[in-house]
Amino acid sequence: MTDFRARIAAAYDADTFRRESHQLMDMLSDYLARTTRAEGPVLPWAAPAVNVDRFAAAFPEAPTGDFADLITRVLSGSNHLHHPRYVGHQVTAPVPLAALCDAVSSLLNNGMAVYEMGPVSTAMERNVLRWMAARLGLPETTDGVLTSGGSLGNLTALLAARQAKAGYDAWNSGAHAGPPLTVLAAQTTHYSLARATRIMGFGEGGVTPVPVDEHFRLRPEALDAALDSATRAGRKPIAVVANAGSTATGAFDPLEPVADFCERHGLWFHVDGAHGASAVLSPAHRHLVRGIDRADSVVWDAHKGLLMPALVTAVLFRDGARSFESFSQEASYIFHGDAERPWSDVALRTLECTKEMMALKVYACLAVLGTRLFSDAVTESYEQTRRFAQRLAAASDFEVAVPPECNILCFRHTPAHVPAEQWDTLQTKLRERLVTRGDFYLVQTKLPRGVYLRVTLINPLTTDADLDALMDTLRAAALR
């Protein structure tokens, strides 16, 4: 026992922590400097099996003191999102200040099931949500939670929609205590919606698809037919889910007419604004989400437009009381009494019980860096994407799938020496070449006309010159 106490004391020693943290900060700062200067590959590609071998789990019984060596290997082998030529998934290059907040959160480890376990983070979350709701134009009755990602956010919102609109208590009586349910959503909606409805027991018909226009936006005039189709199939529609910045193409559904439809038919109006709700911060682009203030619920990812590390998602409910209906249960060892549901006991409204202090990084960055930085970042990312689309459209050997509405752009390289029937194969090969060589990190998607390359200009360190270099690199790769 004496030996154990000595080893525990060493593991928690403040001076050791100070020494290692100073060394770590130097390493991270040097890494940030190198990466933002575009030194080295974006992704140092290695096959999965190779990396498994590199990090073989030969855990020693006694301390080794090799923390710095381990972090060096982690940094060198990871995907470098701060590299200006990272233009891939909707995961941003977070502001470094937020990373320091994560260290504070990890050390304090104030889980947020009940207020007394996370008093400061609970208060911060309350005020961050108020700020976000005000930006969206939602009323003072709005309340909500921060949760771990847009997928969980959509599930949380739809659970509340089910309680509000199903006509029976599905939470306590089960998914089959009444007629089978469905939600109406654009054909291009994120796959998390189908996952959420299946988790809730809606089954294969839990999502009724609504046709989209040539810009991949939900067609409001098709909602009546979708409602009739669902009803004839024996389903009870409870909600319409609209996209504010769809994942595939960045499309913004027309929210005003969807809100009108929901009001006429008594349906819950949910906006998946995981990606595009940040448009409200940009005076030049907030018109894209006109009507979002009429939503019953909104999901908004801070780890996209607000430059935060993953995962921080706001789930906002127009009627704050509805936020308690997603998870209507009691745990007597945590929650005491059922006469009141205090807003300060966050676990009453989230799937997570021991939730990290995710509000800390959002609150701190808004308070220290100011809101204008984030507003300008949204505006610039949208404008940069439009400029890039214009350069692509002006080139004879590139094709833009659809004019971008936000910072997501789908395009493909169409060189004259490659027959059109081989363009799909070419895009896949080009992406593989660029990614495995570490030149750029970008992704691809399948649209009705075929395979397209897809970029999300979410990294504020990416310049127009980097995007010009992307075009040149694609051209050179297609000649090999």
Side-chain angles (χ1 to χ4, degrees), residues 395-399 412-424 426-427 430 433 453 471 474-480:
S396 61
D397 55 344
F398 284 92
E399 174 189 294
R412 58 184 176 180
H413 184 34
T414 57
H417 71 277
V418 177
E421 60 269 20
Q422 297 179 19
W423 284 351
D424 283 2
L426 176 64
Q427 311 315 309
L430 289 175
R433 289 173 186 170
L453 300 172
M471 294 174 67
L474 288 168
R475 286 171 171 142
L479 293 174
R480 290 192 175 94

Side-chain angles (χ1 to χ4, degrees), residues 273-290:
H275 186 82
S278 294
V280 298
L281 302 180
S282 169
H285 301 287
R286 63 168 60 112
H287 66 276
L288 292 168
V289 290
R290 185 177 295 118

Side-chain angles (χ1 to χ4, degrees), residues 49-60 73:
V50 172
N51 267 329
V52 170
D53 289 341
R54 286 177 178 172
F55 290 90
F59 302 127
R73 293 193 293 129

Side-chain angles (χ1 to χ4, degrees), residues 41-46 78-79 85-89 427-444 453-454 470 473-474 477:
V42 182
L43 171 65
W45 174 257
S78 294
N79 199 335
R85 295 187 176 184
Y86 173 89
V87 291
H89 291 288
Q427 311 315 309
T428 300
K429 289 182 177 179
L430 289 175
R431 178 187 180 272
E432 181 181 1
R433 289 173 186 170
L434 268 62
V435 170
T436 56
R437 291 193 318 222
D439 298 330
F440 285 85
Y441 186 84
L442 71 168
V443 296
Q444 68 184 50
L453 300 172
R454 176 179 168 278
L470 173 58
T473 304
L474 288 168

Side-chain angles (χ1 to χ4, degrees), residues 90 132 135-136 150 190 242-253 255 271-282 285-290 292 298-306 313 378-379 381-382 405-408 454 456 458:
Q90 297 157 276
M132 297 175 88
R135 302 288 79 72
L136 293 170
H190 192 259
N243 292 313
S246 66
T247 297
T249 63
F252 285 75
D253 293 337
L255 303 183
V271 176
D272 182 355
H275 186 82
S278 294
V280 298
L281 302 180
S282 169
H285 301 287
R286 63 168 60 112
H287 66 276
L288 292 168
V289 290
R290 185 177 295 118
I292 200 168
V298 178
V299 163
W300 180 358
D301 284 356
H303 54 273
K304 293 186 172 70
L306 289 179
T313 294
V378 174
T379 300
S381 67
Y382 285 28
E405 291 192 88
C406 60
N407 56 345
I408 296 174
R454 176 179 168 278
T456 303
I458 201 168

Side-chain angles (χ1 to χ4, degrees), residues 179-181 229-236:
L181 307 176
S229 174
T231 303
R232 288 195 306 271
R235 295 269 174 174
K236 180 177 181 178

Side-chain angles (χ1 to χ4, degrees), residues 110-112 117-126 357-360:
N110 276 204
M112 296 177 60
M117 277 300 295
V120 171
S121 51
T122 299
M124 285 184 167
E125 179 166 320
R126 182 82 162 169
M357 303 168 64
M358 56 181 68
L360 172 60

